[in-house]
């Protein structure tokens, strides 16, 4: 087996033994041969083992060069292009004018088809809704500008499990059908046997049939051509062999090239191919078979591929009566068109997803939910920075169209960060399943692009002069909601006073930093309107606050240290409880353990600490954990032997610092929890939010560390986690013959909670993690992993996850009734992701949406195309960017019935809502990625058992879970 296929795993574990289950499947009841759609493709990971630059050099550029040449030689040949990052790099840096002319013609003829159309084939478990939309929008805009085409189908063949959010987004983008592959091995086997691999998926329980989509699950062979042929030791139908790194061979001879198709071998090839086609046909309801021809890194030498497949297909068709099979090159669209025309009635699937994913009894792909925590965190921070920069640049352009910031330079900075954030959404990117050098590549691209956007923000905002003892601070709220919150700065002076732009003192608190004895944490209470900035002045002093320094409301908080306690001395606990109170909670800390003892909300008992799973590193000793797989080697054990605690009572926030030591005698702590309990200022500062930041690492080798929150809630080990930050999924604990712990882990992108009849405990996160409820009342979050094993291909590709980093994720915790938290957690998760940004600027008017609506996007994409499709096709494409078209997306946060008020549809007048930004002249509603006019979008209809047949131009009604997308044109401003 090609080593690169080991990761693509167990659909080949069946070793592809061709048991001829032909029986009567050679012809249908109508005596028609099986119609086989041979779909040539190359799966090109945007990352994984090799960097993008290495892949472009070794094979990816050759794929598009050689495919373009070969498709142009014969009209029946086809190819599907999937990952746009590689295609765009080829188009912009390698394609000749001749290649570009040929591609345009092939696209026009429908023989080269763009599938998905996003920058990457994004992961579905740990990606955030915002970023999935971004990477699709990036690719779709390029394709529409360049070719006037809009993808209609997905090819999500390699993400590790399938979420219910992805088909909803694809439907909103105008897709007609969806294709997935990686689902649980045992579930796929059952679906195959019962011919249920195709269905209509209603991914959202609120949108239901409005955004349903036909879905095809690939059979056990997945997206790769069978690699085994009985008459050859080579790779079957991959006549171009296996890609070579770092350089392609100059003579064009690659390893493992298959036996050529000749007069002597054609019948054996045909027999093997036909038997496999018939085996697949037995698993589907129609006589159409999708036969993917390709795999990872294929078609870099397309001439040898097509020159062997052409005579093989011709031979099969010449003998189709005997074989009972016909074959044809096809695009995915041609296959789905045939399925659609079959006019069958399809079973419905509701909003349940296909997570988690397992390939074998001991191979639960739940480890990657927590792999490479640093990368996951940087990717989310970059996304949040991009969101803030997009809204700020959009407002700047509308207010100052001829301002001093060069618009082309600004757009270049934004596009670089769009590209970097899109790129890392790849299913071997943000998942943490890539090699160390590829992880470094993603981080480098993200950090460089973030620095570029910082330059843009510096250019947009006025700079303020200051001396060493004064600092002007501008705080920007990137959300379309009014907010009162606490911001935190690290400063070098022990005393500070804070004033607003009217010279009035602002509530603030200063204390010695937990990170360094030489710095201080300054907390400031800020009140901001939606998309609004406010200026603050901070005056510092090296002395204690005195009459000569106007201290304002600044409170100097002092810490109280508690005795460090060893776990082995915990004999009697709960005797000495220390309360920390605010207007929402009473937290009790146990001075016999230095742990949290309880939170008073209907008297919920609760503890929090760190536990770890010990992983097996020897494949000869049993199942192993790696980048992808979590295979618990027994139950978790306590990860520490001693705990220290410091409490810093404050007027703004009370901070509890807990330090956990691996061994009793250790001087340095291994883990920490910093809990901030805010005081309530007025009625708007949320006291229900307990903000926790953790520090973990470096870990010991072969350990996976979890934060375990144990409570008195009676949840029966039932958990709720979010699908991509879009909707919540109920996760019922299941018992398995093997690997029960790992198979009950789920991805947490933004939110997870447990509940009973009285209370709900909610966690919202600043990055993705794995989460589980392994015992009643328990919420367990996997925060960090460090692993090494001796599996040959892990060592060969450096995929052992020897991650020695220190990670510092943040979770916000809420405890309350089910009804009270239902109206909070969606907004809290977004407020955590889009925290206030610090920068200088003049103060504009605010832009505020109702509390159940979220401003998903406000940006200037720069696309140059007409909103009218026919006009766009008749004009030259990809000319100068359009700086006046604004892309606006608004999302309803709540499900149907989730809250008695917040779940109601909302009607708003966008002209009124946007008045704080500018005067709206034209409003056009578009598909999710902007390339289609929603009024002319006609998606395919699929027959199901319950198929349903559905004023003011600026007034729109947004229903639960809807995402509405618009192009907005503002009136010009003359100054």
């Amino acid at each position: 087996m090609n080593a690169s296929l080991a990761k693509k795993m167990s659909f080949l574990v069946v070793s592809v033994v061709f048991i001829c289950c032909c029986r009567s499947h050679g012809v249908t009841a109508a005596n028609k041969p099986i119609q086989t759609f041979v779909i040539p493709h190359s799966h090109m990971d945007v990352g994984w083992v090799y960097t993008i630059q290495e892949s472009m050099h070794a094979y990816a550029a050759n794929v598009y060069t050689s495919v373009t040449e070969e498709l142009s030689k014969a009209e029946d040949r086809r190819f599907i292009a999937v990952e746009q990052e590689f295609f765009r790099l080829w188009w912009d840096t390698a394609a000749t004018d001749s290649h570009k002319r040929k591609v345009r013609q092939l696209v026009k003829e429908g023989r080269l088809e763009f599938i998905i159309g996003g920058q990457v084939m994004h992961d579905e478990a740990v990606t955030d809704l915002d970023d999935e939309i971004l990477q699709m929008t990036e690719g779709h805009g390029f394709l529409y500008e360049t070719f006037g085409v809009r993808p209609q189908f997905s090819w999500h063949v390699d993400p590790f499990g399938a979420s219910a959010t992805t088909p909803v987004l694809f439907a909103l983008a105008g897709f007609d059908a969806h294709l997935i592959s990686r689902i649980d091995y045992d579930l796929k086997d059952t679906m195959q046997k019962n011919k249920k691999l195709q269905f209509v998926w209603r991914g959202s329980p609120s949108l239901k049939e409005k955004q349903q989509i036909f879905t095809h699950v690939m059979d056990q062979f997945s997206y790769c051509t069978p690699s085994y042929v009985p008459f050859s030791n080579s790779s079957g139908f991959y006549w171009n062999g296996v890609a070579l790194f770092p350089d392609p061979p100059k003579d064009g001879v690659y390893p493992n090239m298959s036996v050529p198709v000749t007069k002597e071998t054609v019948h054996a090839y045909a027999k093997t191919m036909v038997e496999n086609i018939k085996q697949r046909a037995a698993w589907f309801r129609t006589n159409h078979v999708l036969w993917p021809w390709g795999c990872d890194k294929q078609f870099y030498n397309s001439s040898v591929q097509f020159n062997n497949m052409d005579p093989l297909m011709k031979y099969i068709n010449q003998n189709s009566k005997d074989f009972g099979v016909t074959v044809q090159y096809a695009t995915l669209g041609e296959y789905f068109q045939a399925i659609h025309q079959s006019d069958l009635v399809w079973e419905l699937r509701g909003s349940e997803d296909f997570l988690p994913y397992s390939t074998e009894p001991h191979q639960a792909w739940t480890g990657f939910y927590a792999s490479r925590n640093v990368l996951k965190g940087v990717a989310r921070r970059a996304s949040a920075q991009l969101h803030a920069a997009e809204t700020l640049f959009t407002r700047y352009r509308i207010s100052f169209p001829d301002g001093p910031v060069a618009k082309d330079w600004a757009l270049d900075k934004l596009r670089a960060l769009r590209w970097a954030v899109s790129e890392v959404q790849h299913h071997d990117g943000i998942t943490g399943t890539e090699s160390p050098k590829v992880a470094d590549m993603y981080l480098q691209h993200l950090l460089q692009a973030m620095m570029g956007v910082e330059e843009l923000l510096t250019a947009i905002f006025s700079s303020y002069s200051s001396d060493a003892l004064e600092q002007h601070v501008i705080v920007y709220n990137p959300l379309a909601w009014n907010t009162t919150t606490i911001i935190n700065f690290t400063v070098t002076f022990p005393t500070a006073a804070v004033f607003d732009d009217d010279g009035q003192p602002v509530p603030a608190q200063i204390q010695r930093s937990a990170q360094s004895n030489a710095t201080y944490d300054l907390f400031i209470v800020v009140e901001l309107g939606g998309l609004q900035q406010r200026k603050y002045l901070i005056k510092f002093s090296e002395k204690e606050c005195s009459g000569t320094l106007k201290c304002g409301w600044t409170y100097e908080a002092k810490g109280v240290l508690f005795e460090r306690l060893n776990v082995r001395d915990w004999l009697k606990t709960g005797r000495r409880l220390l309360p920390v109170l605010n207007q929402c909670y009473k937290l009790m800390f146990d001075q016999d353990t230095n742990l949290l003892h309880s939170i008073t909300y209907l008297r919920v008992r609760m503890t929090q600490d760190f536990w770890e799973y010990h992983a097996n590193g020897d494949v000869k000793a049993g199942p192993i954990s790696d980048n992808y797989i979590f295979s618990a080697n027994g139950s978790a054990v306590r990860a520490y032997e001693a705990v220290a605690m410091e409490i810093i009572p404050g007027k703004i926030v009370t901070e509890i610092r807990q330090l956990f030591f691996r061994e009793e005698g250790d001087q340095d702590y291994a883990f920490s929890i910093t809990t901030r309990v805010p005081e309530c200022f007025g009625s708007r500062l949320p006291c229900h939010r307990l903000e926790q930041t953790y520090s973990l690492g470096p870990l010991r080798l072969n350990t996976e560390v979890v934060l375990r929150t144990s409570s008195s809630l009676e949840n029966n080990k039932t958990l709720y986690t979010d699908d991509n930050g879009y909707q919540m999924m109920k996760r019922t604990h299941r018992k398995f013959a093997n690997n029960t712990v790992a198979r009950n882990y789920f991805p947490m992108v933004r939110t997870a909670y447990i509940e009973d009849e009285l209370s709900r405990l909610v966690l919202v996160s600043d990055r993705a993690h794995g989460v589980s409820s392994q015992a009643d009342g328990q919420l367990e979050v996997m925060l960090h992993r460090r692993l090494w094993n001796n599996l040959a291909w892990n060592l060969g590709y450096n995929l052992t996850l020897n991650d020695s980093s220190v990670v510092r994720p943040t979770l916000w915790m809420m405890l309350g009734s089910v009804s009270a938290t239902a109206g909070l957690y969606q907004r809290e998760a977004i407020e955590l992701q889009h925290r206030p940004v610090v920068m200088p600027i003049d103060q504009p008017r605010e832009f505020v949406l109702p509390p159940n609506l979220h401003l998903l996007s406000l940006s200037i994409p720069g696309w140059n195309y007409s909103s009218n499709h026919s006009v766009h096709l008749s004009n030259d494409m990809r000319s100068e960017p359009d700086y006046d078209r604004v892309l606006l997306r608004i999302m309803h946060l709540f499900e149907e019935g989730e809250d008695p008020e917040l779940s109601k549809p909302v009607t708003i007048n966008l002209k009124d809502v946007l008045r704080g930004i500018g005067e709206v002249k034209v409003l056009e509603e578009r598909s999710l990625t902007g390339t289609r006019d929603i009024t002319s979008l006609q998606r395919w209809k699929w027959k199901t058992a319950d198929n349903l047949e559905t004023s003011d131009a600026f007034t729109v009604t947004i229903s639960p879970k809807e995402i509405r997308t618009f192009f907005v044109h503002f009136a010009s401003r003359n100054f």
Side-chain angles (χ1 to χ4, degrees), residues 134-317:
L134 170 71
Q135 73 88 20
M136 287 169 57
T137 303
E138 270 294 283
H140 286 195
F142 163 80
L143 289 175
Y144 194 56
E145 275 189 319
T146 310
F147 304 110
V149 298
R150 300 169 292 195
Q152 287 179 261
F153 311 102
S154 84
W155 180 263
H156 253 225
V157 296
D158 202 30
F160 320 134
S163 81
T165 299
T166 298
V168 175
L169 298 184
F170 286 161
L172 287 167
F175 284 21
D176 286 313
H178 178 42
L179 184 147
I180 62 176
S181 181
R182 288 183 175 269
I183 67 173
D184 257 14
Y185 68 99
D186 45 5
L187 177 59
K188 179 175 282 193
D189 184 58
T190 299
M191 292 172 76
Q192 279 185 175
K193 290 175 181 175
N194 296 320
K195 295 190 177 184
K196 293 189 176 183
L197 290 171
Q198 294 171 321
F199 49 85
V200 171
W201 199 351
R202 293 181 177 172
S204 164
S206 294
L207 298 178
K208 301 182 182 72
E209 70 279 354
K210 284 192 246 180
Q211 298 303 337
Q212 69 185 22
I213 192 167
F214 181 81
T215 302
H216 173 105
V217 183
M218 283 188 149
D219 56 48
Q220 69 187 43
F221 298 102
S222 193
Y223 63 84
C224 289
T225 309
S227 62
Y228 169 80
V229 289
F231 52 89
S232 170
N233 291 325
S234 295
S235 58
F237 298 87
Y238 310 135
W239 290 280
N240 57 194
V242 177
L244 274 181
F245 288 82
D247 301 308
K250 290 184 170 57
D251 60 2
V253 177
Y254 288 81
N256 209 31
M257 295 177 74
S258 293
V259 174
V261 175
T262 62
K263 289 182 179 179
E264 291 73 29
T265 62
V266 67
H267 183 77
Y269 266 118
K271 185 173 180 289
T272 299
M273 185 173 177
V274 166
E275 286 176 351
N276 183 246
I277 289 168
K278 289 179 178 179
Q279 186 177 5
R280 293 173 186 257
W283 299 326
F284 294 93
R285 293 177 60 196
T286 74
N287 72 324
H288 310 100
V289 170
L290 187 160
W291 204 79
W293 176 35
C295 197
D296 290 43
K297 301 183 270 302
Q298 286 293 309
F299 282 87
Y300 46 80
N301 188 348
S302 297
S303 61
V304 68
Q305 287 283 82
F306 282 111
N307 288 339
N308 280 281
M309 184 60 88
D310 283 354
L312 173 57
M313 291 176 61
K314 182 179 179 181
Y315 180 84
I316 292 173
N317 286 334

Side-chain angles (χ1 to χ4, degrees), residues 620-640:
K620 296 179 180 178
I624 52 94
S625 289
D626 63 9
N627 290 36
Y628 310 89
I629 293 167
F630 171 40
S631 183
N633 186 22
S635 301
V637 297
R638 187 178 281 110
Y640 60 92

Side-chain angles (χ1 to χ4, degrees), residues 645-888:
M645 181 171 66
E646 180 181 14
I647 296 180
I648 306 165
K651 297 293 179 67
I652 303 295
V653 62
T654 293
E655 189 169 272
I656 302 96
R657 301 171 180 172
Q658 295 165 291
L659 309 179
F660 297 79
F661 299 84
R662 280 200 191 95
E663 305 293 342
E664 291 181 2
D666 286 353
Q667 294 301 306
D668 297 323
Y669 62 88
F671 318 105
S672 72
I673 303 175
T674 300
T675 303
R676 289 173 180 160
V677 183
E679 297 298 325
C680 187
F681 277 78
S683 59
R684 294 199 291 176
L685 183 63
C687 65
H688 54 260
R689 186 166 76 202
L690 302 174
E691 303 185 5
Q692 293 192 316
T693 301
Y694 315 93
S695 174
L696 300 91
L699 303 187
R700 289 171 170 167
L701 202 58
N702 285 332
T703 57
E704 300 167 88
V705 177
V706 301
L707 172 75
R708 181 175 284 180
T709 303
S710 300
S711 74
S712 57
L713 271 63
E714 298 175 353
N715 72 315
N716 195 31
K717 298 195 284 190
T718 297
L719 174 72
Y720 294 80
T721 71
D722 66 313
D723 251 22
N724 311 110
Y726 178 69
Q727 58 193 0
M728 298 302 293
M729 311 297 291
K730 184 177 182 178
R731 311 296 193 183
T732 303
H733 191 276
R734 294 188 295 162
K735 193 159 183 63
F736 298 92
N738 302 290
N739 223 17
T740 291
V741 170
R743 293 189 75 174
N744 279 290
Y745 253 84
F746 300 90
M748 169 192 181
V749 178
R750 291 185 187 172
T751 310
Y753 63 77
I754 59 174
E755 65 184 21
D756 59 17
E757 292 182 356
L758 296 176
S759 309
R760 177 185 284 171
L761 170 66
V762 184
L763 297 179
V764 298
S765 175
D766 71 339
R767 67 197 71 182
H769 302 289
V771 64
S772 184
S773 181
Q774 298 287 345
D776 200 29
Q778 198 177 89
L779 191 55
E780 182 174 289
V781 183
M782 186 176 289
L783 296 177
H784 199 14
R785 319 172 73 219
R786 184 180 183 185
L787 303 164
W788 188 94
N789 65 70
N790 59 1
L791 184 64
W793 78 274
N794 275 350
L795 295 176
Y797 287 109
N798 199 9
L799 294 173
T800 57
L801 198 67
N802 189 5
D803 185 350
S804 60
S805 62
V806 177
V807 303
R808 293 184 174 87
T810 295
L811 295 175
W812 289 355
M813 179 167 61
M814 289 161 283
L815 181 65
S817 68
V818 171
S819 59
T821 55
L824 291 173
Y825 74 84
Q826 301 263 26
R827 286 169 59 94
E828 291 294 324
I830 290 170
E831 289 189 11
L832 173 55
Q833 180 150 338
H834 298 290
R835 285 167 281 187
V837 179
V838 179
M839 54 194 52
I841 192 175
D842 293 332
Q843 180 174 321
R845 288 177 290 173
E846 66 185 28
F847 166 35
V848 180
L849 287 174
N852 45 5
L853 298 185
H854 168 47
L855 179 68
L856 202 60
S857 307
L858 182 71
S859 67
I860 297 175
W863 299 322
N864 191 293
Y865 58 73
S866 172
S867 298
N868 184 303
H869 183 55
S870 58
V871 172
H872 174 64
L873 292 180
S874 65
N875 293 336
D876 290 335
M877 300 172 188
R878 293 195 79 196
S879 52
E880 288 302 308
D882 180 351
Y883 292 94
D884 298 320
R885 185 201 324 250
V886 172
L887 178 69
L888 169 71

